[in-house]
Amino acid sequence: MPTPVLRTARLLLEPYRPDDAEDFVALLTDPEVGRFMGDGPLSAEEAGALFGRVFTKVYAEDLFDVWAVRRDGRYVGHAEVKRTDQVDGHEIIYALAKPAWGVGLGTELARALVRHGFDTLGLPRVYATVADANHASLALLGRIGFVHERDIAEDDGSVTRVLVAEGATA
């Protein structure tokens, strides 16, 4: 099933378009946005290659749902719900551009992703993995019903928290 369009009070989540490449690369190369994502911000080349794989792999093979997040027609972020071995289940992943920070859009976006996981995908639980140092995301997810399940010790000495939401908690 292709990635569906989702709507919240202020956000539109829709499949990426080829003309989103510049915004996608800018988001994933931003040092402040990317500091808690995977191994940190991507290079422009890595982000561009990843954007290409959204079309050639993820959408072409219908692997998982991935969205461009828009507010008032403008690109403000990225979102995914996908199965990962790290949590042995489906994980929500999201990132917002700095101008979209601090006005509740992260909470709105995370709630939409969790609802999609429960209501559309029929998942019994939804996971999130968050760097222990990412206090804002940990607080946001706690507010919408995620609870700490376990920690993962990373090779660099940092800790990733595995959080889970059961049923329709969000």
Side-chain angles (χ1 to χ4, degrees):
M1 177 167 58
T3 296
V5 172
L6 305 178
R7 287 181 173 79
T8 70
R10 298 177 290 171
L11 299 173
L12 172 67
L13 286 69
E14 62 183 1
Y16 275 97
R17 305 182 301 239
D19 65 348
D20 290 321
E22 188 177 321
D23 289 327
F24 179 92
V25 169
L27 179 73
L28 295 186
T29 58
D30 184 300
E32 286 185 74
V33 173
R35 68 185 165 149
F36 294 125
M37 295 174 60
D39 294 325
L42 299 178
S43 70
E45 296 77 24
E46 291 167 330
L50 180 59
F51 186 76
R53 287 192 303 275
V54 166
F55 293 95
T56 62
K57 201 86 173 120
V58 178
Y59 290 155
E61 298 177 22
D62 196 22
L63 297 179
F64 55 89
D65 294 327
V66 59
W67 297 271
V69 180
R70 302 182 200 288
R71 181 179 186 198
D72 300 327
R74 291 196 179 116
Y75 180 89
V76 296
H78 171 86
E80 306 175 15
V81 176
K82 70 178 183 180
R83 178 160 178 73
T84 59
D85 291 336
Q86 186 177 38
V87 298
D88 192 27
H90 284 74
E91 177 180 7
I92 64 169
I93 298 166
Y94 57 92
L96 290 173
K98 286 183 292 189
W101 291 4
V103 293
L105 295 178
T107 301
E108 194 171 317
L109 177 56
R111 280 190 171 129
L113 297 174
V114 171
R115 270 195 313 275
H116 176 71
F118 292 143
D119 298 346
T120 303
L121 301 178
L123 303 173
R125 65 193 55 80
V126 175
Y127 293 89
T129 56
V130 182
D132 187 44
N134 189 346
H135 304 294
S137 283
L138 290 169
L140 180 159
L141 292 167
R143 283 192 304 273
I144 67 168
F146 278 80
V147 295
H148 179 256
E149 180 178 80
R150 64 186 166 90
D151 289 337
I152 299 169
E154 302 293 351
D155 293 339
D156 65 1
S158 66
V159 173
T160 298
R161 300 235 167 197
V162 176
L163 309 175
V164 63
E166 303 270 352
T169 59

